[in-house]
Amino acid sequence: MYKTLYSKGNKAFLELLTQSRLDAGLTQVELALRLQEDQSLVSKVERGVRRLDVVELMLWCQALEMPLTEFVRRLEASTASPAGHTRMG
């Protein structure tokens, strides 16, 4: 498996995290309060300095009041190629 840190897929993931927060009308501070974390964690995650595991992503989505499945659907849509194949590289 190749490294994904600098992939287009990871960039799309980070952009979707930030856009989902903005769409929910939340600042980083407000999201951090919902997560019972510091604002610096939200900033680090959105910048790609700190990565989320699946359980953390689930909690993040709950704090945004977005089903995890909806987040994944949006991520897949943002990384899909015109032929319908997922473009992660």
Side-chain angles (χ1 to χ4, degrees), residues 8 19 21 24 38 44-45 49-51 53 62-63 81 84:
K8 291 178 186 176
Q19 190 59 52
R21 175 181 56 77
D38 293 328
K44 288 175 184 175
V45 169
V49 174
R50 161 76 158 69
R51 298 183 90 177
D53 65 30
Q62 288 173 353
S81 67

Side-chain angles (χ1 to χ4, degrees), residues 4-85:
T4 60
L5 186 61
Y6 301 107
S7 69
K8 291 178 186 176
N10 192 56
K11 182 179 179 193
F13 175 75
L14 297 176
E15 289 172 356
L16 182 57
L17 282 176
T18 302
Q19 190 59 52
S20 297
R21 175 181 56 77
L22 295 173
D23 290 348
L26 298 173
T27 65
Q28 287 185 347
V29 171
E30 292 166 331
L31 177 57
L33 287 171
R34 289 184 180 194
L35 293 168
Q36 299 179 356
E37 294 286 350
D38 293 328
Q39 175 273 331
S40 63
L41 172 77
V42 175
S43 176
K44 288 175 184 175
V45 169
E46 289 184 353
R47 289 182 292 126
V49 174
R50 161 76 158 69
R51 298 183 90 177
L52 296 177
D53 65 30
V54 174
V55 175
E56 290 171 323
L57 177 59
M58 182 178 63
L59 295 172
W60 193 283
C61 288
Q62 288 173 353
L64 294 173
E65 299 178 2
M66 172 189 286
L68 178 61
T69 54
E70 176 63 18
F71 184 89
V72 172
R73 186 197 63 75
R74 290 181 186 186
L75 180 60
E76 288 178 329
S78 71
T79 59
S81 67
H85 299 288

